[in-house]
Amino acid sequence: MLNRRRFFLGSAAVGSALVVGWGLLPPRQRLTGSQPLATAAGQQAFNGWLKIGSDDSVTVMVPKSEMGQGVSTSLAMLLADELDADWSRVRTEHPPVDAIYNNLATVVDGLPFHPDDQGWVKRGAGWMTAKTMREVGLMATGGSSSVKDLWLPMREAGASARAMLVGAAAAGWGVPAADCRVAKGVVSHGGSGRSARFGELAERAAAQALPRSVGLKSAAEFTLIGQPVRRLEAAAKLDGSARFGIDTLLPGMLYASVVMCPTLGGSVASFDAQAAEALPGVKKVLTVPGQRGGSGGVAAVADTPWHAMQAAKAVTVQWDHGPAAALSSADISRQLGQALDAGDGFAYRAVGDAPAAMKQAARTISAEYHAPLLAHATLEPQNCTVRYVAGKDGQPGRASVWAPTQVPGLARWVAAKALGLDSGQVEINVTLLGGGFGRRLDVDFIAQAALIARALPGQPVQTCWTREQDQTHDFYRPPCVARYQAGFDAQGQLLAWTARSSGPSVVQQFLHRQFGLPGAGPDKTTAEGAFDQAYEWPSARVGHAVVELPVPVGFWRSVGHSHQAFFKESFMDEAAHAAGQDPLAFRLALLRQHPRHSAVLQRAADKSGWGQPLAPAADGAKKARGLALHSSFGSIVAQVVEVSIDPTEPGRIRVHRVVAAIDCGTAVNPGGIRQQMDSAVVFGLSAALFGEITVDRGQVQQGNFHQQPLLRLADCPLIETEILASTEPPEGVGEPGTPPVAPAVANALFTLTGQRLRSLPLRLA
């Protein structure tokens, strides 16, 4: 017994020492993958991020999904700038699944710490999280993290390849490498007048050892970074040659249409396919269980999309509606309110003793805010093409998948599970995405497509949802209710600030449906936008209570910030009004220790003419301004909007102008940033003015865009974006422009009408 005990203790000590030692080491390198990159004739792979061809082509491996945010261009710019490549020769390619492409930044940023917290606990947690994600994380595009995540790896890959090209040229010419220069894809030596193109040097350069370390350019040396560069995929989108998932076309392809249980989470009890199977072109009708949090249904496979759709409609199905069958939107609101009645929830932020300060206040104000479920409404509905080949003679099967996905590694894994294969037996091909907004972080439609294809081995099968199925079987933006309170002294100075909210947890649901992990612990996304802001409240408490609902929720563009910003910035205006102060001045007074935030807010105010008289609309309608400031995904955004009410249609809200200012660190592609701010504003206005998913007896009531409108071109405001200069590392851009829009509109409407709107979507009485 004694010997066993000594062995156990000794082993534990060694194991602990190994874990501690591993933890002290930096995350493993992200330059070379587990397997060399596949190359075409004349191409040479320099590392896991770059191939150079004898024709001088520079192919940059971009592991992030292109869904309209311009990420393929921005990331290629990082590498090409350090490489000193000829931009006209740069192209991009999506790499195979590999751990070097795992997204570290989005998970580290998801830790529940305040941005101002620079303590050792936060630093240690971030360090260990980054190390862990490097080994067991996901290739993922989300959290506005792509450029931030690859800011160093992409540049290091370019700088390393540049050094190898220079080394090859210098060795061939017999000159010191330090005397060589590189510009626009050409290495030259001034003293001898010699020069060589990248394509001429590629083979010899790729044979050199990777540099042990490389120096990176300073901001003053950038030639591409910081310039407004036209997006690489723009031409293909304009001429129609771009290929999205729905454009996948393979020889002998079949098409599947699915009718899913109308009740969220429901399944098939029984079905009669006799009528469907008698229709032209029908190959097979089969049941498909709900996959990865989705609902079950029946799939009809045919030779054309139309035949498949007609066959799916002809199937008679008896449904098992499941536990959500009694759920309504009123039930959801009641449960969220009850959670707030029961307690304050988990405290994400506590400054001083807010309850005590509130009791001492000479005056207090309070308000309750509501945000509904929201659909992603990607213009390209969910689709996936799978070709499954069964194994023969003891050989394993294999499969190829074509999908518009934000998580290729996870997509490959769930497809393999559905097909009874190992991940290594599945090839994943990531297409362009016709919108993502977080919906394609989920993989229910991919697992579903794989199950359908398994029933027809040897033939590629494309499964495509209708718009109505996409809308009624989404993973929705969580509903949320929040209660705010502020206390003031006799002079109107803010003493205390409290915020409590309730709603489902996206992260807990996601981890459970993908990996079977139990939901536990704090989820930053539930309270982000409420607790992690720069305002210097004298005392404050911000908490959230998680409420479990039989409604699938998912990551929606800007996630918790999308509704928490509405609550927080609306109440900030209410507090300013109660204190008798201008909303701009009130905010600036709470940002004295945050000069970057103050600068962004002041820039938007100055650009908009804040405090100056506002001319009426063209039809004579009175206009008013409202503002909001919000930080998300590392970036700071302020927006000032101008609104009016349509005199010919009482109650119709019109937004005429949006002035935005953003500090996102280094602006890699200013043109792309402005495009993303435009996109975020339009997306946010669509949600603020029209967005709402309601549930009756467990069934979503909005099936298409006539019931869930998007902002029309004729109603789109003038959008002006100011980008503040910065040499800080780049932060998020795709999402930060969305959160401030709704509160800015609501605040303008209060100035215009005197009505304080506290529920989304915004509707005047």
Side-chain angles (χ1 to χ4, degrees):
M1 176 69 71
L2 181 60
N3 289 337
R4 288 184 180 180
R5 182 174 182 272
R6 286 175 176 171
F7 175 79
F8 172 78
L9 292 174
S11 299
V14 171
S16 298
L18 289 174
V19 170
V20 171
W22 178 82
L24 293 175
L25 294 173
R28 277 205 302 152
Q29 60 84 24
R30 298 178 73 186
L31 194 60
T32 58
S34 58
Q35 298 292 330
L37 290 176
T39 55
Q43 273 189 333
Q44 304 294 328
F46 281 68
N47 46 56
W49 304 88
L50 173 66
K51 295 185 286 190
I52 297 178
S54 57
D55 60 353
D56 297 328
S57 61
V58 174
T59 302
V60 180
M61 311 308 291
V62 175
K64 307 299 184 181
S65 300
E66 179 59 70
M67 48 189 166
Q69 79 278 42
V71 68
S72 56
T73 302
S74 297
L75 292 178
M77 289 172 66
L78 301 183
L79 190 149
D81 201 321
E82 293 288 351
L83 182 63
D84 281 315
D86 178 353
W87 182 250
S88 68
R89 307 297 297 166
V90 174
R91 63 191 64 168
T92 64
E93 185 179 310
H94 203 284
V97 175
D98 196 284
I100 66 167
Y101 308 124
N102 287 349
N103 191 321
L104 312 188
T106 192
V107 184
V108 173
D109 287 349
L111 297 173
F113 294 100
H114 193 280
D116 290 347
D117 182 356
Q118 299 301 321
W120 67 268
V121 174
K122 178 182 178 180
R123 295 197 304 272
W127 179 270
M128 290 298 294
T129 299
K131 285 177 59 63
T132 303
M133 290 302 102
R134 166 60 177 83
E135 307 302 325
V136 298
L138 292 174
M139 283 177 68
T141 308
S144 294
S145 63
S146 294
V147 173
K148 177 177 183 176
D149 184 50
L150 299 181
W151 169 244
L152 289 179
M154 278 289 196
R155 294 174 63 206
E156 289 168 351
S160 295
R162 182 185 186 277
M164 294 163 72
L165 289 161
V166 168
W173 299 334
V175 301
D179 292 345
C180 295
R181 298 292 178 265
V182 187
K184 294 186 177 180
V186 176
V187 181
S188 60
H189 180 252
S192 64
R194 293 179 176 180
S195 66
R197 303 188 318 276
F198 281 3
E200 297 174 305
L201 297 167
E203 186 173 1
R204 285 182 289 136
Q208 293 202 343
L210 285 171
R212 294 181 62 87
S213 62
V214 291
L216 300 179
K217 291 182 178 181
S218 66
E221 296 173 303
F222 292 150
T223 56
L224 279 172
I225 296 172
Q227 302 302 311
V229 174
R230 181 177 298 175
R231 283 165 46 173
L232 293 173
E233 88 284 7
K237 288 179 176 177
L238 287 172
D239 66 22
S241 62
R243 288 294 175 261
F244 296 82
I246 205 170
D247 297 320
T248 301
L249 184 62
L250 302 169
M253 193 158 79
L254 299 176
Y255 300 86
S257 185
V258 185
V259 55
M260 290 180 281
C261 182
T263 307
L264 296 170
S267 59
V268 176
S270 64
F271 75 101
D272 181 354
Q274 185 174 355
E277 290 173 337
L279 293 174
V282 176
K283 305 297 182 182
K284 199 173 189 67
V285 179
L286 66 152
T287 58
V288 186
Q291 295 295 303
R292 306 290 166 176
S295 300
V298 176
V301 185
D303 58 350
T304 70
W306 176 253
H307 284 156
M309 292 173 68
Q310 294 306 109
K313 292 177 182 177
V315 179
T316 302
V317 189
Q318 298 298 318
W319 301 109
D320 178 351
H321 293 279
L327 187 72
S328 69
S329 292
D331 296 326
I332 292 172
S333 294
R334 183 171 58 254
Q335 290 184 52
L336 298 184
Q338 289 172 347
L340 291 180
D341 293 339
D344 293 337
F346 178 84
Y348 284 83
R349 178 86 169 147
V351 179
D353 189 342
M358 202 72 72
K359 291 179 181 179
Q360 297 172 1
R363 182 190 178 192
T364 62
I365 61 170
S366 60
E368 181 172 296
Y369 299 91
H370 296 255
L373 291 160
L374 281 183
H376 294 83
T378 60
L379 293 185
E380 179 191 21
Q382 308 314 310
N383 67 90
C384 179
T385 302
V386 180
R387 180 169 55 204
Y388 167 66
V389 179
K392 294 181 180 179
D393 302 324
Q395 296 299 312
R398 63 185 188 278
S400 296
V401 177
W402 291 262
T405 177
Q406 295 175 240
V407 280
L410 181 59
R412 184 181 69 164
W413 182 71
V414 300
K417 289 288 185 183
L419 295 168
L421 303 175
D422 293 332
S423 290
Q425 295 160 347
V426 177
E427 174 194 36
I428 184 78
N429 302 280
V430 180
T431 67
L432 290 173
L433 283 62
F437 314 129
R439 174 60 178 95
R440 289 181 164 107
L441 288 167
D442 271 285
V443 289
D444 54 313
F445 62 99
I446 293 172
Q448 181 192 76
L451 277 182
I452 295 169
R454 186 176 184 177
L456 294 104
Q459 291 184 280
V461 182
Q462 182 181 89
T463 300
C464 186
W465 293 9
T466 64
R467 168 58 54 200
E468 288 78 9
Q469 289 166 343
D470 188 83
Q471 192 89 342
T472 58
H473 293 85
D474 201 348
F475 292 89
Y476 302 95
R477 199 271 304 269
C480 195
V481 173
R483 293 174 183 167
Y484 275 71
Q485 188 175 23
F488 304 86
D489 64 17
Q491 289 73 44
Q493 296 298 307
L494 183 69
L495 294 177
W497 176 281
T498 63
R500 299 179 295 135
S501 59
S502 64
S505 165
V506 174
V507 171
Q508 290 181 11
Q509 275 204 23
F510 182 85
L511 292 177
H512 177 71
R513 64 178 171 255
Q514 306 304 344
F515 309 110
L517 298 175
D523 172 6
K524 178 187 175 182
T525 69
T526 60
E528 63 184 3
F531 84 95
D532 51 358
Q533 299 302 293
Y535 291 122
E536 300 147 13
W537 297 304
S539 62
R541 186 191 188 279
V542 181
H544 182 87
V546 172
V547 179
E548 295 184 10
L549 297 171
V551 177
V553 296
F555 301 99
W556 190 92
R557 190 173 188 175
S558 73
V559 204
H561 293 282
S562 66
H563 46 273
Q564 293 287 3
F566 169 67
F567 305 155
K568 180 261 302 176
E569 284 299 293
S570 294
F571 193 66
M572 187 62 67
D573 254 44
E574 294 203 45
H577 182 74
Q581 297 184 36
D582 173 79
L584 171 63
F586 186 78
R587 286 172 170 83
L588 289 173
L590 294 173
L591 294 169
R592 291 191 175 94
Q593 303 303 315
H594 292 82
R596 291 179 68 182
H597 293 75
S598 296
V600 171
L601 182 58
Q602 192 67 61
R603 178 73 67 87
D606 293 344
K607 177 72 175 178
S608 69
W610 184 266
Q612 302 301 313
L614 188 56
D619 56 10
K622 183 180 178 181
K623 292 196 294 186
R625 296 187 185 94
L627 63 77
L629 171 73
H630 195 75
S631 302
S632 62
F633 307 97
S635 292
I636 309 162
V637 176
Q639 291 174 354
V640 179
V641 304
E642 298 175 6
V643 306
S644 72
I645 307 302
D646 189 341
T648 66
E649 190 179 340
R652 179 172 174 264
I653 301 165
R654 302 183 302 187
V655 180
H656 299 272
R657 183 188 183 206
V658 177
V659 175
I662 180 172
D663 181 343
C664 57
T666 297
V668 175
N669 185 359
I673 292 171
R674 290 189 171 88
Q675 290 173 352
Q676 279 304 286
M677 290 296 288
D678 289 352
S679 166
V681 166
V682 171
F683 195 84
L685 283 176
S686 295
L689 301 178
F690 314 117
E692 183 179 28
I693 290 295
T694 57
V695 178
D696 183 32
R697 290 175 293 180
Q699 299 181 13
V700 171
Q701 300 301 294
Q702 292 75 22
N704 211 317
F705 290 129
H706 68 289
Q707 297 166 311
Q708 179 68 85
L710 301 179
L711 192 72
R712 301 285 182 143
L713 184 61
D715 298 321
C716 186
L718 172 66
I719 304 170
E720 305 168 48
T721 297
E722 293 277 302
I723 304 172
L724 275 72
S726 175
T727 57
E728 294 293 320
E731 297 286 353
V733 170
E735 295 166 278
T738 292
V741 176
V745 173
N747 294 335
L749 289 170
F750 174 74
T751 300
L752 185 66
T753 69
Q755 294 185 47
R756 186 66 75 178
L757 304 183
R758 301 188 177 101
S759 295
L760 294 172
L762 300 171
R763 296 190 179 111
L764 290 167

